[in-house]
Amino acid sequence: MKKFLFILMAFVATTLTVQATTVNVTFNQGNNIEGQLVDLNDTTLVIRSYFSATGEKELTIHPERVNYFYISGIGRYNVVDGKFVPDAKAQAKLAKRQAENAAHAKVVSERAANPNLVIGNALKKTGNVCMGIGIPSALVGAILVGVGNSGVDTSGKPEDVAARAKTKSNCAAAGYVLLPMGAALTIVGIPLNVHGKRIAEMNINYTGNGAGLSFNF
């Protein structure tokens, strides 16, 4: 258990500092101080104080002076047997964050080992975005072109006929813009998606005689 807590505290010391984490410390005398987390282990807390009576930029705080303190986004730390110990809720959050970081590190490692996967996924995402915009744009453009060229109802007052004719003209004009734009995006998106998938499924196999390519279908 102690080893587990030490690992968690080491983790918060190395990862939360980068995120400019706020710490609010309550001392035994009841006074408080707030600052930015700089370093933390089970016997030492270092913060960069926002308001320091001594004018120090960084304060080193030990358990014997502290009642408890809060770390933003994590929770409360108490003093137990002369050491800083996170409470149950803080331990759960630390464990969750550690698991998330480990999963992220694994993904980064796998991507570094297979650059084709990174390139392929990037092409696929770009292709999907192009098609996601292009197909609806092309469909709407085709509809507007059809509506704009469907003819004008000439019954009624001349001003009403003119208004209907203007609406039809506007629909056709918008359709002439959306239809080719949507078609172009779709035409670009399809090969990007297809080639991205192929590249992502490409493996580079190194053998004693050199490098070879293999495809997974």
Side-chain angles (χ1 to χ4, degrees):
M1 182 63 181
K2 290 183 179 179
K3 184 178 179 181
F4 173 71
L5 294 177
F6 179 78
I7 292 173
L8 292 181
M9 288 187 216
F11 168 74
V12 74
T14 56
T15 60
L16 299 186
T17 304
V18 181
Q19 303 175 13
T21 305
T22 299
V23 182
N24 191 299
V25 183
T26 298
F27 294 97
N28 294 329
Q29 294 80 3
N31 55 316
N32 295 76
I33 191 170
E34 188 174 272
Q36 178 182 322
L37 178 64
V38 176
D39 192 16
L40 172 63
N41 57 49
D42 59 350
T43 59
T44 305
L45 170 65
V46 181
I47 66 173
R48 183 172 291 108
S49 177
Y50 300 146
F51 304 99
S52 175
T54 62
E56 296 175 344
K57 293 183 179 180
E58 292 186 358
L59 298 176
T60 300
I61 303 170
H62 298 289
E64 58 269 17
R65 300 174 53 197
V66 176
N67 189 357
Y68 60 87
F69 62 87
Y70 282 93
I71 297 180
S72 61
I74 297 299
R76 174 168 170 155
Y77 280 66
N78 299 309
V79 176
V80 179
D81 296 329
K83 295 182 178 180
F84 296 130
V85 178
D87 65 10
K89 290 183 179 180
Q91 289 181 34
K93 289 183 179 181
L94 285 169
K96 180 181 178 182
R97 187 169 294 188
Q98 188 178 35
E100 291 172 351
N101 277 270
H104 177 71
K106 182 179 179 182
V107 171
V108 171
S109 176
E110 290 175 349
R111 288 178 176 177
N114 187 3
N116 291 328
L117 182 62
V118 179
I119 298 171
N121 286 338
L123 290 176
K124 285 170 61 180
K125 289 180 180 178
T126 304
N128 289 336
V129 170
C130 289
M131 289 190 294
I133 298 173
I135 294 174
S137 297
L139 290 175
V140 172
I143 293 172
L144 289 174
V145 169
V147 171
N149 291 282
S150 60
V152 179
D153 182 5
T154 57
S155 60
K157 298 178 180 180
E159 56 269 24
D160 294 335
V161 175
R164 288 193 290 269
K166 184 177 180 180
T167 300
K168 294 278 187 178
S169 176
N170 290 338
C171 287
Y176 290 142
V177 174
L178 287 174
L179 180 57
M181 181 188 74
L185 286 173
T186 303
I187 291 172
V188 170
I190 292 174
L192 282 175
N193 186 281
V194 172
H195 288 297
K197 184 177 180 180
R198 289 179 178 176
I199 292 174
E201 294 176 345
M202 182 188 301
N203 290 328
I204 301 179
N205 296 327
Y206 292 94
T207 65
N209 297 325
L213 296 178
S214 66
F215 294 87
N216 296 325
F217 294 98

